[in-house]
């Protein structure tokens, strides 16, 4: 609701026949979101979030706690900032987002002997040539003419033609 909507004419009919203006207070609900998703961290509100709205004027303290290996980066929405705790004064519906970042890791793809082929990695890495934490990368060998695939070593092992690695650290 807009601030201008806080005063509206009220017409009552019946025994009182009152025609006048009254003030009403919009429900003060708080929506807390986590980006990029729930696994990135948690937010604790004090006083706690409930199903009922907060009383107008209540100051709610929000504390963000990242889940490893994520890091807290910022708040957005009804409050902004880069510290893990902020305060929101409730006066109407408010939406706040706690933003967390996942680390990014490199995947070095080496073929031995050199020139004997390449490795296809799906999905491809980001523009920074790294993968976001938790990404599963499928690796497929592409032998050059007159070569054949024998085995994986390093982050991937075995002789299966296609393997998967989960990015949770830098890998070779």
């Amino acid at each position: 609701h807009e601030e201008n909507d806080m005063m509206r004419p009220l017409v009552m009919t019946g025994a009182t026949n009152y025609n006048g203006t009254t003030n009403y207070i919009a429900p003060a609900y708080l929506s807390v979101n986590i980006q990029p998703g729930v696994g990135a961290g948690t937010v604790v509100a004090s006083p706690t979030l409930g199903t009922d709205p907060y009383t107008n004027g209540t100051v709610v303290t929000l504390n963000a706690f990242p889940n490893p290996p994520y890091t807290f980066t910022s708040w957005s929405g009804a409050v902004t900032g880069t510290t893990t705790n902020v305060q929101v004064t409730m006066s109407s519906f408010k939406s706040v987002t706690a933003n967390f970042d996942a680390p990014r890791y490199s995947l070095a793809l080496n073929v031995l002997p050199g020139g004997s082929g390449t490795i296809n990695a799906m999905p491809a890495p980001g523009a920074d040539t790294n993968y976001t934490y938790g990404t599963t990368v499928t690796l497929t060998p592409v032998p050059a003419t007159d070569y054949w695939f024998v085995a994986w070593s390093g982050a991937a092992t075995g002789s299966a033609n296609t393997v998967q690695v989960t990015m949770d650290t830098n890998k070779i």
Side-chain angles (χ1 to χ4, degrees):
H1 294 294
E2 300 278 23
E3 296 260 335
N4 301 359
D5 290 340
M6 297 304 273
M7 293 187 66
R8 293 185 179 192
L10 173 66
V11 178
M12 297 173 65
T13 59
T16 60
N17 286 326
Y18 175 79
N19 186 354
T21 302
T22 187
N23 292 326
Y24 74 91
I25 298 172
Y29 288 99
L30 178 61
S31 171
V32 177
N33 306 293
I34 296 174
Q35 286 297 332
V38 176
T42 58
V43 175
V44 175
S46 179
T48 59
L49 296 167
T51 56
D52 294 327
Y54 286 103
T55 304
N56 192 31
T58 300
V59 176
V60 180
T61 300
L62 300 174
N63 289 293
F65 298 96
N67 290 332
Y70 291 87
T71 56
F72 174 78
T73 58
S74 66
W75 297 97
S76 57
V79 293
T80 59
T82 57
T83 61
T84 56
N85 64 327
V86 292
Q87 292 186 328
V88 183
T89 301
M90 299 306 297
S91 59
S92 63
F93 174 82
K94 302 221 175 163
S95 180
V96 175
T97 300
N99 299 293
F100 297 90
D101 257 349
R104 296 186 56 77
Y105 297 113
S106 64
L107 175 60
L109 301 175
N110 301 309
V111 178
L112 297 175
S116 62
T118 60
I119 300 171
N120 184 21
M122 292 303 292
D128 63 354
T129 69
N130 293 320
Y131 291 92
T132 301
Y133 167 81
T135 300
T136 298
V137 182
T138 300
L139 303 175
T140 306
V142 182
T145 303
D146 296 329
Y147 287 89
W148 61 92
F149 172 73
V150 176
W152 298 98
S153 64
T157 58
S159 59
N161 195 48
T162 299
V163 295
Q164 292 183 326
V165 295
T166 300
M167 298 306 296
D168 53 8
T169 187
N170 291 326
K171 299 196 178 209
I172 298 176

